[in-house]
Amino acid sequence: GQNIDQPTEMTATEGAIVQINCTYQTSGFNGLFWYQQHAGEAPTFLSYNVLDGLEEKGRFSSFLSRSKGYSYLLLKELQMKDSASYLCAVNSGNTPLVFGKGTRLSVIA
Amino acid sequence: DAGITQSPRYKITETGRQVTLMCHQTWSHSYMFWYRQDLGHGLRLIYYSAAADITDKGEVPDGYVVSRSKTENFPLTLESATRSQTSVYFCASLTRDTTANTGELFFGEGSRLTVL
């Protein structure tokens, strides 16, 4: 099976930088997704990493190390609207697209 | 409009009744997924489908049945609903370009099911 771990909760200050980690154990790795989900809404796409390295999209960046089974989502210049849950999901060969339990981020003034 | 739609958005039913949640996508994506989301558990995969007439169990398939007679539709049926199946259900479809190393999982808006 797959094992995907994320911290349950994080708190950060408006304007700061926060890093949300995701570790995974799986076979047949195809890629890793990050999603943002506000309460009561469907998840929305942030990034998809297939190769090692950092991908930047505006204030959000995502990093992948396949050899370490590790990814992180980096959020810069935090805004109050970034308060949400951040979900990591692994696309693998055995059972595709299993999600971690998500990290609830609270941005405080 | 192109997209992925779920129906009903809200449903209240009683224990023992059969309930079907519908999911329809307009892109002809091969892969489709059903998840349930509960507090403390995150998104858990119920069933997925790689193509029409191909379905596989996910993490929590017990009590659910799926079918995929057409690429665009992926209904989820609770044959005899139980209170533990009270949840928010999300359908999703996957697009992936292995050449460009891009991909995205598109979610429906969710179906909130309450079993009394």
Side-chain angles (χ1 to χ4, degrees), chain A residues 30 33 35 37 41-43 45 48 50-51 87 91 94-101, chain B residues 33 35 37 40-43 45 48 59 90 94 96 101-105 107-109:
Chain A
N30 291 324
F33 288 91
Y35 275 78
Q37 187 178 28
E41 298 181 8
F45 174 79
Y48 180 55
V50 175
L51 303 177
L87 315 177
N91 188 15
N94 43 10
T95 304
L97 282 169
V98 172
F99 280 80
K101 293 185 178 182
Chain B
F33 304 82
Y35 294 91
Q37 188 170 38
H41 289 282
L43 282 165
L45 180 63
Y48 66 99
E59 302 169 279
F90 287 102
L94 174 69
R96 193 160 62 99
N101 288 325
T102 58
E104 186 167 345
L105 185 66
F107 282 89
E109 293 183 326

Side-chain angles (χ1 to χ4, degrees), chain A residues 19-95:
Chain A
Q19 178 175 311
I20 302 173
N21 296 326
C22 172
T23 59
Y24 63 90
Q25 294 174 318
T26 187
S27 58
F29 178 85
N30 291 324
L32 186 144
F33 288 91
W34 282 99
Y35 275 78
Q36 180 192 61
Q37 187 178 28
H38 286 100
E41 298 181 8
T44 55
F45 174 79
L46 292 177
S47 66
Y48 180 55
N49 292 69
V50 175
L51 303 177
D52 292 348
L54 185 69
E55 293 199 6
E56 300 186 66
K57 284 186 185 179
R59 294 190 300 115
F60 291 18
S61 302
S62 56
F63 172 83
L64 176 67
S65 169
R66 290 171 294 172
S67 62
K68 295 182 179 178
Y70 169 66
S71 174
Y72 67 72
L73 182 69
L74 195 70
L75 290 73
K76 303 176 186 175
E77 302 168 14
L78 279 173
Q79 302 174 10
M80 300 301 286
K81 68 179 182 179
D82 297 330
S83 292
S85 289
Y86 291 86
L87 315 177
C88 166
V90 174
N91 188 15
S92 69
N94 43 10
T95 304

Side-chain angles (χ1 to χ4, degrees), chain B residues 40-115:
Chain B
H41 289 282
L43 282 165
R44 290 184 291 175
L45 180 63
I46 305 171
Y47 268 94
Y48 66 99
S49 170
D53 297 321
I54 301 174
T55 61
D56 275 297
K57 295 179 180 179
E59 302 169 279
V60 289
D62 293 344
Y64 303 95
V65 174
V66 293
S67 61
R68 186 110 180 261
S69 58
K70 293 184 178 180
T71 301
E72 60 266 32
N73 297 324
F74 191 36
L76 176 74
T77 298
L78 290 68
E79 293 191 306
S80 179
T82 65
R83 288 197 183 92
S84 65
Q85 293 178 309
T86 292
S87 186
V88 179
Y89 291 85
F90 287 102
C91 177
S93 70
L94 174 69
T95 181
R96 193 160 62 99
D97 184 336
T98 54
T99 302
N101 288 325
T102 58
E104 186 167 345
L105 185 66
F106 294 88
F107 282 89
E109 293 183 326
S111 296
R112 185 176 295 274
L113 175 68
T114 301
V115 183

